[in-house]
Amino acid sequence: MSHARKQTALRSVLNWVPGRGAAAKAEALAEAGVGRSLWEDAWRRLKRNRAAIASLWFLGLICLGCVVIPWVWPYGYAEPDWNLMYHAPTFAGAHLFGTDALGRDLFVRVMWGCRISLMVGLVATVVTLLIGVTWGAVAGFVGGRVDGLMMRFVDILYSIPFIPFVIILMVLFGRDLFLVFAAIGAVSWLDIARIVRGQTLSLRKKEFVEAARASGVRDGAIIGRHIVPNLIGIVVVYVTLTIPTVILFEAFLSFLGLGVQAPLTSLGGLVSDGSAVLESYPYMLVIPAIFLAVIVYCFNFIGDGLRDALDPKDR
């Protein structure tokens, strides 16, 4: 039996042995020469980061709430009640977070705001990754004049003020929700493109890339099969740090009145509505601002935990 088959058999047997804890199994596997993969080791390190794990739980609860609660809550996000305008929050009554200027239930609107803000953050980040990773990987792998031209184009885009650019797009093409996704993602890919390009410059000289070239593999296949998979670690960390930035960017646009269209709302729109009546009805600003802050902090803590877990210098 080969060494690899022995390791696999030993791992399977230990998983079925009763009375052995995880530490004992790990010790037995280490004695037999069975090592952990990068992702297994990173997950073990991440689990020891209490802030990151707590953030995962909080973020999971918020995601679950913003998906389930709008379906089961007795009030709709656009359903007004003219008899209960600016009703204060009451934990014993029907309106948990109170109501707004039109008598709409603030609790369900906050849940919808979390849903829209998270959707904008996730979808815009996916757009950012598709453009940035592709652009940076191609520029770093091809090199030469192609690399120079592609990165000079990135430098030109860096010189354009992004917020006025997005505002112009929103004014010209309307405040459509999908346009918000595309507009924010289309101007947020420059950082990841530079990061991926730098990593690709170091990867293209590795032995496995040279072996693929010697085997006659095309450049596009090398980028897709060998370069991009080795960038997953840094891309994962970048995603967790980009999503809160995109959420804050969308909140800023909604605060200016350029976000999603009413009666649909996001956390930034709710904060904007609450800021207008802060002195009289502070709960309208404080409640959505707390949810926005918690979501941003959760993603930042998760990003820090992933960065520490995937950093090879700390392993």
Side-chain angles (χ1 to χ4, degrees):
M1 182 181 294
S2 64
H3 181 64
R5 291 184 177 180
K6 289 181 180 179
Q7 291 179 344
T8 303
L10 177 59
R11 189 187 298 272
S12 301
V13 170
L14 286 176
N15 288 334
W16 285 98
V17 173
R20 295 183 64 92
K25 293 180 181 179
E27 184 179 355
L29 290 172
E31 292 177 355
V34 181
R36 295 189 303 267
S37 68
L38 171 65
W39 296 106
E40 290 175 340
D41 189 56
W43 173 242
R44 290 170 61 90
R45 292 172 59 83
L46 182 63
K47 287 193 295 185
R48 292 198 293 265
N49 191 320
R50 295 183 179 179
I53 296 300
S55 298
L56 282 172
W57 278 103
F58 274 111
L59 193 60
L61 290 175
I62 292 175
C63 292
L64 181 63
C66 68
V67 171
V68 175
I69 289 176
W71 290 98
V72 300
W73 200 248
Y75 304 101
Y77 72 92
E79 180 182 342
D81 187 348
W82 306 111
N83 297 320
L84 289 176
M85 295 184 296
Y86 290 123
H87 188 272
T90 170
F91 295 102
H95 299 285
L96 190 63
F97 289 170
T99 60
D100 63 2
L102 300 179
R104 295 173 297 191
D105 184 75
L106 189 59
F107 181 61
V108 71
R109 288 183 64 79
V110 168
M111 293 297 102
W112 266 100
C114 292
R115 178 188 292 189
I116 298 300
S117 295
L118 288 170
M119 283 178 58
V120 171
L122 292 173
V123 177
T125 301
V126 170
V127 174
T128 298
L129 291 180
L130 291 176
I131 301 175
V133 172
T134 303
W135 193 275
V138 172
F141 184 79
V142 176
R145 293 184 178 180
V146 175
D147 180 25
L149 290 174
M150 294 178 71
M151 299 315 295
R152 296 299 75 75
F153 179 74
V154 171
D155 294 337
I156 292 173
L157 292 181
Y158 260 119
S159 65
I160 300 176
F162 292 146
I163 293 179
F165 175 70
V166 174
I167 291 175
I168 291 173
L169 288 178
M170 304 296 291
V171 172
L172 291 178
F173 299 102
R175 293 182 296 169
D176 185 76
L177 183 60
F178 293 99
L179 180 62
V180 175
F181 297 157
I184 297 177
V187 299
S188 304
W189 59 273
L190 303 179
D191 292 333
I192 187 60
R194 283 191 166 184
I195 294 172
V196 169
R197 181 227 178 211
Q199 293 293 319
T200 304
L201 287 175
S202 62
L203 288 174
R204 68 176 184 173
K205 300 297 183 181
K206 298 294 184 179
E207 291 80 2
F208 61 89
V209 175
E210 297 295 337
R213 280 176 171 169
S215 301
V217 181
R218 296 182 178 179
D219 290 347
I222 293 177
I223 294 175
R225 298 176 185 175
H226 302 284
I227 299 296
V228 173
N230 282 277
L231 299 171
I232 291 179
I234 192 171
V235 168
V236 169
V237 176
Y238 177 82
V239 166
T240 57
L241 298 178
T242 300
I243 292 177
T245 303
V246 173
I247 290 175
L248 289 176
F249 193 9
E250 185 278 331
F252 175 73
L253 291 177
S254 296
F255 187 83
L256 295 178
L258 297 172
V260 297
Q261 294 182 346
L264 200 60
T265 187
S266 67
L267 290 177
L270 292 173
V271 169
S272 177
D273 295 339
S275 64
V277 293
L278 174 60
E279 295 183 359
S280 302
Y281 310 101
Y283 67 91
M284 287 193 60
L285 172 64
V286 173
I287 293 175
I290 289 175
F291 275 86
L292 179 61
V294 168
I295 290 174
V296 171
Y297 273 116
C298 284
F299 275 111
N300 284 329
F301 282 131
I302 294 170
D304 290 340
L306 286 173
R307 181 187 59 196
D308 296 338
L310 295 172
D311 190 357
K313 295 181 180 179
D314 292 337
R315 287 190 288 111

